Structure formats: C-alpha cells, structure tokens
Amino acid sequence: MSQPTEQQPIRQSGPVTLDAIADQSGVFAIVAMDQRNTLRRMFASVGRADATDAEFRAAKVEVASALAPIASGFLLDPTWGVPAVTEAGALPPDRGLLVAAEPAERGNFNGEPHAHRIPEQNAAWVRGLGGHAVKFLVQLRPDRPRAPGTPDLVADVLNVVREVVEDCRAHGVPSVVENIVYRLPGEDELTPAHREDMIVESARLLAETGPDLLKLEYPGSAKGCRRIADVVAGPWAVLSAGVAFEEFSRVLRVACDDGGASGFIAGRSIWKESVGLTGRARTEFLNTVATERLAELVAAVDGRARPWKEAVSA
C-alpha cells in the first residue's frame, strides 16, 4: 500500500471517484470524526456534560491535525467538523473529505430507528462544503417483524438509500453507505450467529441499491467476512464501532484476508481516549498513541486489503 502522504492534491472539476478518499493503491485508510450525539455522550461520560460547541469543534480540529497526515481521507460532520477543520486548515489539500449527510437526529417509530433524509443535504451540498464523497448512515434490521398498518422500516431504509445513491450518481459524487444493526425493542443481545446473519443480509440488501462503497460492521468471524464477499460485488470497508483498538486491529486483518475488504473507516478505536484529556495531554496522546494506532492500521491493510477498483471490476 502506498503511503497516504504521497497522494496528489485532489481536484473536483468533473465527477469524483473513490480514488479521492483512497490511497494511491486504491485502499481506504479513513479516520472517522463525524460523531455528534455520540461525542456529546463521550464528553458527558468523562464528566463534561456541559461541554460547549467550541469544545466539540476544537476536539475535531485536534484529531484532524494529528491524524490527517497519515490517513487517506477524513470523515467529518457538517455541524462542527467540516466548518472547524476547514477554518483551521487542519485537513491537507491532498486528503479526501467525506461528509456525513444523514440527519443528526434519527427518526423513530415505536423505539426503532426510522430512516429519513434531509433533501437539502444532498450531493451538491456536500461538494459545496468541499467534500469528495457523501457518507450516509442507516440502521437496517432485515428480519424485523411488521405489524399490519405500520411502516415497513426495512423498505423505508432501502428507499432512502436509493435516493442517496441516485442523487450522488447524478452529481458525480461517490456514495458511502454505512449500516449499524440494532436490537429490536425488548430484545436480548443478539447471538453471534444471528448478528452475523443480520450484518450479511443487510449488506446484501444495501449492495443491491448500488452504492459506491459500503461501510460495514465486522460480522464476527472469518466465515462471516467470506459471506459478505459472496453477496457484495463492490468494495466494502470495515468500521470500528468504538471497540478496543487491539480487537479492531485483529478483525481488520481478518476482514481483508477473508472478506476482501478494501480497508477501514475507523474513529473511536483510534482516538477515543483523547476526549477525556485537555491541553498538552490531549495533544501528546494524539501525536503518539493515536498516531501509532493509525500507522498500525495502515500497515495492517498494506498488501492485504483489496483495492477498490479490483472489487468493482470483479
């Protein structure tokens, strides 16, 4: 895998491809710092429930400043991340920018997430923010029971994703669709086998809508990764979901080796401890521990991840 630092400046005249957020070998080494409500909860968990917008913006800038130089791209939210990082000049011009275009507040139906999009937060809007790709998060649970006269939440997710994909295609912007499997109201923890089934089936359904890249949870096993490879024709990248770094580093290798994953889009596993730090302590953590973690992930996908163009042409 070519070092991300060797990338060329990204230009946006005409259609953009996934090359804009990949390294020169076509592999994704993307840092996610698009958290909004999750970031509020993280600050609250370390006794900072009173954290201000200025503090959230500063956290985004500090993470980007430390990690962007060795990432192939950066995923930011439009509320704090994009404006703060842009104003600070913390994202080098040769790094791809993904913008989270899903609503900050998720819809809800009787305790379950109900997908929707804000039409104005479209591909043209993302390009206007300087973005090179649209990231859209959904929560799809393919086996949820549907009572008569109630919304079909599975169909609603797929319809929203189709709208996002079609809009991105019309504006020449890559679409990156992320899915998180959820528990039904009152449901116990999913068994590993059931969770694997849901991740794989969600991947299959979402792949049929035609996104350029899927951002998926690790399905729990090498077998689950092979199942994803069987149902997803295009590229997919592994998300970290905040698991311990050592665990994510391990599963990333499995996903690439057995599932043909094209890299990673990871956030909290790399930088989450920095939220509980301030000043010099935070800077030191980001410039040492977090930077070393990202470098280890880059090394993990080097020669192991499947370049995205190979996945598309297969």
Side-chain angles (χ1 to χ4, degrees), residues 28 75 135-140 142 161 176-181 195-209 211-220 224-243 248 251-252 255-256 259-266:
F28 306 108
L75 169 59
K135 191 277 294 188
F136 200 90
L137 167 68
V138 294
Q139 290 182 275
L140 178 60
V161 171
V176 180
V177 174
E178 174 182 6
N179 184 58
I180 300 292
V181 169
R195 183 174 179 275
E196 177 183 308
D197 286 345
M198 292 302 93
I199 291 173
V200 173
E201 179 61 8
S202 295
R204 183 187 71 81
L205 293 172
L206 291 169
E208 290 178 351
T209 68
D212 294 288
L213 175 65
L214 285 174
K215 180 185 176 189
L216 302 174
E217 297 172 278
Y218 179 69
C225 292
R226 291 191 290 272
R227 291 178 65 193
I228 289 177
D230 287 340
V231 300
V232 175
W236 68 285
V238 191
L239 62 86
S240 68
V243 300
F248 182 65
V251 303
L252 174 61
C256 292
S262 295
F264 62 87
I265 303 177

Side-chain angles (χ1 to χ4, degrees), residues 5-168:
T5 50
E6 298 175 358
Q7 289 175 234
Q8 298 299 314
I10 298 167
R11 295 174 175 82
Q12 291 198 84
S13 56
V16 183
T17 73
L18 289 173
D19 278 337
I21 57 173
D23 77 344
Q24 287 190 334
S25 65
V27 169
F28 306 108
I30 298 170
V31 175
M33 213 339 177
D34 61 324
Q35 294 79 3
R36 285 170 280 189
N37 292 328
T38 298
L39 190 61
R40 288 186 187 277
R41 291 192 292 270
M42 292 175 73
F43 269 81
S45 72
V46 294
R48 290 304 321 280
D50 60 346
T52 65
D53 286 355
E55 289 175 288
F56 297 137
R57 288 167 60 99
K60 306 266 183 178
V61 170
E62 290 183 61
V63 170
S65 297
L67 301 180
I70 56 174
S72 69
F74 227 83
L75 169 59
L76 292 168
D77 66 286
T79 307
W80 301 313
V82 172
V85 169
T86 300
E87 181 180 334
L91 194 65
D94 58 350
R95 294 299 178 267
L97 172 61
L98 292 77
V99 178
E102 71 271 3
E105 300 297 331
R106 300 173 192 171
N108 182 286
F109 176 79
N110 290 343
E112 291 185 72
H114 193 179
H116 70 289
R117 63 187 287 254
I118 299 172
E120 293 77 17
Q121 292 185 189
N122 56 18
W125 171 76
V126 165
R127 290 194 75 159
L129 292 173
H132 305 105
V134 170
K135 191 277 294 188
F136 200 90
L137 167 68
V138 294
Q139 290 182 275
L140 178 60
R141 179 63 188 268
D143 68 338
R144 70 170 299 275
R146 181 192 175 195
T150 63
D152 186 339
L153 300 188
V154 173
D156 288 349
V157 167
L158 297 176
N159 288 335
V160 166
V161 171
R162 286 190 192 95
E163 291 179 8
V164 171
V165 169
E166 291 169 4
D167 174 67
C168 286

Side-chain angles (χ1 to χ4, degrees), residues 179-195:
N179 184 58
I180 300 292
V181 169
Y182 66 94
R183 284 190 290 171
L184 301 174
E187 184 177 41
D188 293 332
E189 194 75 32
L190 274 64
T191 66
H194 190 186
R195 183 174 179 275

